Amino acid sequence: MGAKLNNAAAGTANYVDERTSIGGFVKFFARKLFPDHWSFMLGEIALYAFIILLLSGVFLTAFFVPSMTEVHYEGPYETMHGVAMTEAFASTLKTSFEVPGGLLIRQIHHWSALLFLAAIMTHMCRVFFTGAFRKPRELNWLVGFTLMILGLAAGFTGYSLPDDVLSGNGLRIIDGVVKSIPLIGSYTSYWLFGGEYPGVDIIPRLFTAHVLIVPGLILALVALHLFLVFLHKHTQYPGGGKTHKNVVGLPLFPVYTAKAGGFFFVVFGVVALVAAVFTINPVWNYGPYDPSPVSAGTQPDWYILFVDGALRLMPGWVFGLPLEWEIFGYTLSMNILLPAVIIPGLFFGIIALYPWLEAWATGDKGEKHVLDRPRNAPVRTGIGVAMIVFYVILVIEGSNDIVASLFHLSLNDLTIFFQWTIFIFPPLAFWITKRICMGLQRKDRELVLHGHETGTIVRHENGEYIEVHQPLDEQEVWLRVNYDNRKPLEIEPEFNERGVRRPGYKWDLFKQRLSKFYYEERVEPVTWEEYQEAQRHHGPSEQGKAEAVEAEHADERLNKEWESVDKAESTDK
Amino acid sequence: MNTLARKRHHKAAPLLLVLALLALITGAAAFAAPSATATAEASADDVVAGERLFAANCASCHGLDAEGQDGVAPSLVGVGAAAVDFQVGTGRMPMQASGPQAPAKPVQFSQDEINQLAAWVASLGAGPAIPTAEQVDGSLGDAANGMEVFRTNCAMCHGSIGGGGALTQGKFAPSLLETTPEHIYEAMLTGPQSMPVFNDANVTPEQKRDVIAYLEAQQAGSPGGLSLGAIGPVSEGLWAWLILLGLIIASTIWVGARSS
Amino acid sequence: MSTPENTPDNEPQEGFVDPGLPEHRPRRADVEPKADKRAERQVAALFGLSVIGTGIALWAYFTKDVGDGGDVATIQNTNMWIGLGIALAMAGIGFGAIHWAKTLMRDHEMVEERHELRSSDEAREGAVQNLKDGAADSSLGGEGAKRRSVLKGSLITALAIAPLAVLVPQIGNMGGDWNVSKFRHTLWGPGVRLARDPDGALIKASDVTMGSVFHVIPEGLNDLDHHHKMVEKAKAVVLLIRLDPQDMKIQAGREDWSFDGIVAYSKICTHVGCPVALYEQQTHHLLCPCHQSTFDVADGAKVVFGPAKRPLPQLPIAVDDEGYIVAQNDFDEPIGPSYWERLKGDTAAADVQEESH
């Protein structure tokens, strides 16, 4: 039986290989190594959420009707009897209430959409804080960034499809933002909606974007993203035996086939569990779209909340001056453009271009395959935390009415509070994070030079008490001393010896300033000389070890004494 | 009464309440609502008992003659029995402390006492009466029509299914999920505190009953499972991060950990 | 780098040395046959759970009936059981496979060399040469080629403008009639009666008692076809509110726009167009639930808080012979969010006329 199977497999393999030369690929891929770490699976979560989205999305397209033709609901749901609605909304209700398992698949789809974006952003944070975006991975960072933007687009287009009041008001906000764009705003709105808002074209158009254009692009870029991961080989965390020139890990087949493949099922299982138990996007509560009603708690899905928060945060008047300007009879709404277009644009722009920004500051041209511990890049870590704080403030401001009613606060006070703190908290977060990182670096130096505190006090013969320090083993030392000690760039002077101004000086000066911002203030790793000096001063490590052994013995003796005392006490009773 | 509302013990705001009731009364005086006049079904005994209760519990702010005091409490002449039944029956009155608005609290009077108080206040001037059992019987209403009325007139403050929401300066629209049909009806009729008045020309008595039917339909829960507070995408997003991503990241840590 | 990265072992140590990979610790399943067996049983049990999960999902699908779909509890029930079945079916496979990998598959790490991504010089030269050869073959470039600037120029021009042949019709057809001056007009006009949203019942002035707020549409809106109804409703919705005339500050030039304390304002926010619907009757404030712009109805619906800049447009109203509230006219400005041409007239010609006056 087994032999027969083997023969059949060999035959098939031969057949396929003769036509595709797949043997070479299999040889190349099967034993490719991947490093093992939980944080390397965050991107996988996003990938698997996307696969679940494709699977559940195919199910939903079988029942969804992307049409804005008006019908009167004839289905079973009590609070919708006879209500006028579009076919898009009616078919969403039908999928939910009349297709067995339909509501479950809708919920799986929506929960995985929220998960998709959450996983992408967590993954981006991991890549950012460990410096995995450095050469040669800058382009892949950009691919990943584009995937995040496409994820936002996929989410927003899908959120609007059921044509309910909540998402309809969201679309209306988008329309308002589009209209604020100078020169072409009104025409862009007409282009989107096929005329005046809301029209009858937007749902079919969003549907095409949601099921064809956006997922098609995502699929293509996911392929590119993964291809580059294979090409670059995965990064690895620092430690003994790990260099920029090797990769230490376990083979794709069988270990990662089982781990990563199995992980897909875990993600699917957890999403299904949540979808089975928790309602998401109950469109039957919101009702079919109508331009007049609106409900409390009108918010977009979480990943768009930051734009909504920025819109809420921006006052229409600042110190008595309006932010909507009239210029030569034309209207420029900075109170909309700033929060909804310019600030998100800058925020995303900085994220997209960050790898180059840091490359200018370091001037390093080498390939980096060993990750940074976040503490060893205090300025980068600080920038990352500051951006997260900025983003989170906008998200909380976007939920300010919910926060206000939950915690019995005034939403006006909340908004005013955030209007100030949006300028204060991110720089503060930067400063604090940088200090914490440098503190951790100093702690590392301390450990390398003086060893672990053991908590054991020993009395020397001369009467002196000292705490025994356990020296670090060589792996621990290596982890703490083997990192790049970057210094500000040194640049050639502005004028050469003949007093001629050097072209490109200004650019160099900019890079130097950037570099100073990053590396002027730094904690340097322990040098070999310092290490040896500390060993001599502290006594060689052998003595340290002897002390530790001695201390352990002392402990044991003490324990025995206590035991005997205990025994004595118990016999007394 | 309702647990959600009880948690919202704000220090009540006499001033705002005064303004509310003032507006209400001037309104009632100018355009006495034709449909809901206080009918003197209550016995004379009730009125007498009500007056006594009022003198003991309410007169310190509203005055013995219920004509109110400037800046302290509004006149209650013409507010009708419905206003008394709502304000006292949800525990909002008597107020305890000042705050952005008077919140619902444990009720301090028995229904009989409330009826007596209402009877006395209703005897002072024409105003909306306490609705009959038939007027608030949701099973006679049309929940789908109620949905349309509710989302046009109510959902902007109380949320799409009545979960509540925030207003300006710390005020809020309370959750309606556990409010009794009578109190829902009376609130529409009398417009307590920040809430506008929905008289019978605006939302007809049948429509009011439809709204009650819609809110009662919500008590079956959400077809999709637990509703996460029915406050929209913010709580969904929070759960996506905490529960969904949280569980999955917990499992990545297990995947990444070496087996012993 | 402060330390040499790889000091050969035979030289005296002059810096920190990479200690190499930590020693591999065998797992229990590697050394104890019992543990190995146990792990195998656990994995098989997890796969077994998955089979049970699939069973639950199929059982729920075939036996749980959503009925006519009107019963919330039944839908909840079906949804939950199929979902739990799928969850178990998937998680069983997942946890089983991963447990297998963790306990029974190789866990001794291997090392692979990396290669610089840069192509070899040889490959680069080859690439450049190939491109040069290609350019020469095309007779556009390469050594001794003719300049052929006309050819180059015409190709670039053709390529640059050819997309227009596709994009212009594509984009051109998507914007309807492109007549953006429609933003300026709503269904309101002289004598149009105010009606209740959504049922269209007409409103008399006596209906609007103090502290009331009516959500209003123009009479006849509900008779339009779906498309026009949506478009017009999106612009025409109005809030009708009665205040104590003593509380009101009437705006200059709008003395006769209200009736006995009854005022009508556009319901569409001047910020980004949400319906501004939260009316607080004590403070006379209207709050937009989307971004919390707050307007003071007693003072010309001016902005008192939030991101909006302009007041809500006011609809001038009057009462007709039968006592119904009617509009005197359309809004005198475009409703809703600002846009580039907001202050301009319908056409350029109209602009010129207006300015010459």
Side-chain angles (χ1 to χ4, degrees), chain C residues 38-50:
Chain C
R38 190 168 59 234
E40 188 184 343
R41 275 198 306 274
Q42 284 166 344
V43 172
L46 283 166
F47 290 152
L49 274 182
S50 164

Side-chain angles (χ1 to χ4, degrees), chain A residues 31-33 68 70 76 86 96-98 100-101 103-104 107 136-137 169 172-173 176-177 179-180 182-183 186-187 190-191 194-200 205 231-235 240-241 243-251 254-255 258-259 262-263 265-266 268-269 272-273 275-276 289-294 298 308 311-312 314-317 322 324 326 328-333 335-336 367 369 400-401 411-412 415-416 474-475 477-478 481-482 484 525-528 531, chain C residues 1-6 13-22 61 66 68-70 72 75-76 78-80 82-84 86-87 90-91 93-95 97-98 101-102 105-118 170-171 173-183 197-198 215 226-227 229-235 237 267-268 270-275 277-278 287 289-292 294 303 305-310 335 337-344:
Chain A
R31 298 293 276 180
K32 232 175 137 48
L33 298 185
M68 295 176 90
E70 190 181 40
T86 58
S96 305
F97 301 137
E98 292 168 71
L103 179 56
L104 177 74
Q107 298 197 148
R137 295 183 179 76
N169 279 315
R172 183 146 206 188
I173 293 170
V177 170
K179 279 179 180 156
S180 75
L183 275 169
S186 315
Y187 295 96
Y190 262 55
W191 174 72
E196 268 191 290
Y197 174 89
V200 288
R205 287 179 185 182
L231 187 73
H232 293 146
K233 300 194 169 104
H234 209 286
T235 50
T243 71
H244 289 303
K245 297 209 162 84
N246 71 6
V247 55
V248 178
L250 294 165
V255 178
K259 276 195 173 183
F263 189 51
F265 291 94
V266 170
F268 201 159
L273 178 69
Y289 184 63
D290 178 317
S292 172
V294 64
T298 289
D308 215 48
L311 279 167
R312 289 176 185 207
M314 189 82 211
W317 295 77
E324 181 182 306
E326 281 152 21
F328 302 117
Y330 292 99
T331 308
L332 190 62
S333 304
N335 55 338
I336 302 167
E367 288 186 9
H369 299 292
N400 64 355
D401 51 333
L411 59 85
N412 305 64
T415 299
I416 292 165
E474 51 182 7
Q475 290 286 350
V477 170
W478 181 243
V481 299
N482 177 40
D484 294 341
V526 174
T527 61
W528 179 241
Y531 183 66
Chain C
M1 292 289 300
S2 62
T3 57
E5 209 173 307
N6 286 310
Q13 193 175 336
E14 283 176 0
F16 294 106
V17 180
D18 184 346
L21 290 177
Y61 175 76
V66 292
D68 64 359
V72 169
I75 301 171
Q76 251 179 8
T78 313
N79 185 37
M80 187 184 75
I82 299 181
L84 292 180
I86 295 178
M90 296 300 155
I93 296 181
F95 285 115
I98 296 168
K102 278 171 56 117
M105 291 182 189
R106 176 189 183 96
D107 86 325
H108 197 161
E109 287 182 317
M110 298 153 72
V111 182
E112 194 178 272
E113 291 305 306
R114 291 181 192 269
H115 308 287
E116 209 186 357
L117 283 157
R118 182 186 190 279
Q170 164 84 42
I171 293 172
N173 282 322
M174 281 178 76
D177 60 9
W178 296 106
N179 178 12
V180 297
S181 62
K182 282 196 278 190
F183 292 155
D197 180 28
H215 297 260
H226 178 67
H227 180 184
K229 183 181 156 186
M230 286 292 150
V231 166
E232 294 303 336
K233 192 171 186 180
K235 292 188 291 186
V237 279
K267 192 179 171 182
I268 304 305
T270 56
H271 177 223
V272 283
C274 268
L278 283 72
L287 169 70
C290 294
H291 307 108
Q292 287 127 20
T294 311
V303 179
F305 186 81
K309 183 249 176 183
R310 286 179 292 106
I335 59 93
S338 297
Y339 53 96
W340 185 246
E341 309 88 345
R342 200 183 84 85
L343 299 172
K344 297 286 167 183

Side-chain angles (χ1 to χ4, degrees), chain A residues 359-375:
Chain A
W360 293 330
T362 57
D364 193 337
K365 302 270 190 276
E367 288 186 9
K368 299 288 167 202
H369 299 292
V370 176
L371 296 172
D372 281 330
R373 300 168 84 206
R375 69 183 60 176

Side-chain angles (χ1 to χ4, degrees), chain C residues 123-160:
Chain C
R124 282 188 173 191
E125 277 160 27
V128 171
Q129 191 54 48
N130 283 352
L131 290 178
K132 279 185 182 162
D133 292 349
D137 287 351
S138 72
S139 81
L140 276 179
E143 274 151 52
K146 298 166 191 155
R147 287 184 56 84
R148 305 224 191 247
S149 52
V150 176
L151 186 52
K152 273 189 211 167
S154 55
L155 174 67
I156 290 168
T157 313
L159 281 176

Side-chain angles (χ1 to χ4, degrees), chain B residues 168-216:
Chain B
T168 65
Q169 308 292 357
K171 298 187 288 287
F172 59 89
S175 164
L176 307 178
L177 298 176
E178 291 172 50
T179 311
T180 64
E182 288 80 11
H183 291 152
I184 291 170
Y185 195 101
E186 288 161 356
M188 287 190 269
L189 209 52
T190 61
Q193 305 194 31
S194 295
M195 182 167 161
V197 179
F198 295 94
N199 63 31
D200 288 346
N202 192 352
V203 177
T204 64
E206 291 74 35
Q207 288 176 329
K208 288 190 173 91
R209 189 163 62 189
D210 294 344
V211 166
I212 290 168
Y214 173 68
L215 289 170
E216 282 178 348

Side-chain angles (χ1 to χ4, degrees), chain B residues 16 20 27 31 153 156 167-168 171 191 193-197 199 201-202 207 222-224 254 257-258 260, chain C residues 25 27-28 76 79 95 98 102 107 196-197 199 207 209-215 242 277-278 280-282:
Chain B
L16 291 174
F31 292 90
N153 295 289
M156 68 290 269
L167 302 175
T168 65
K171 298 187 288 287
Q193 305 194 31
S194 295
M195 182 167 161
V197 179
N199 63 31
N202 192 352
Q207 288 176 329
S222 178
W254 171 72
R258 283 174 60 92
S260 63
Chain C
R25 285 180 289 114
R27 294 163 296 188
R28 205 175 293 163
Q76 251 179 8
N79 185 37
F95 285 115
I98 296 168
K102 278 171 56 117
D107 86 325
R196 220 164 48 183
D197 180 28
D199 62 6
D207 295 340
T209 52
M210 194 68 70
S212 285
V213 54
F214 280 65
H215 297 260
R242 182 166 211 147
L278 283 72
E280 298 178 1
Q281 64 136 327
Q282 292 166 327

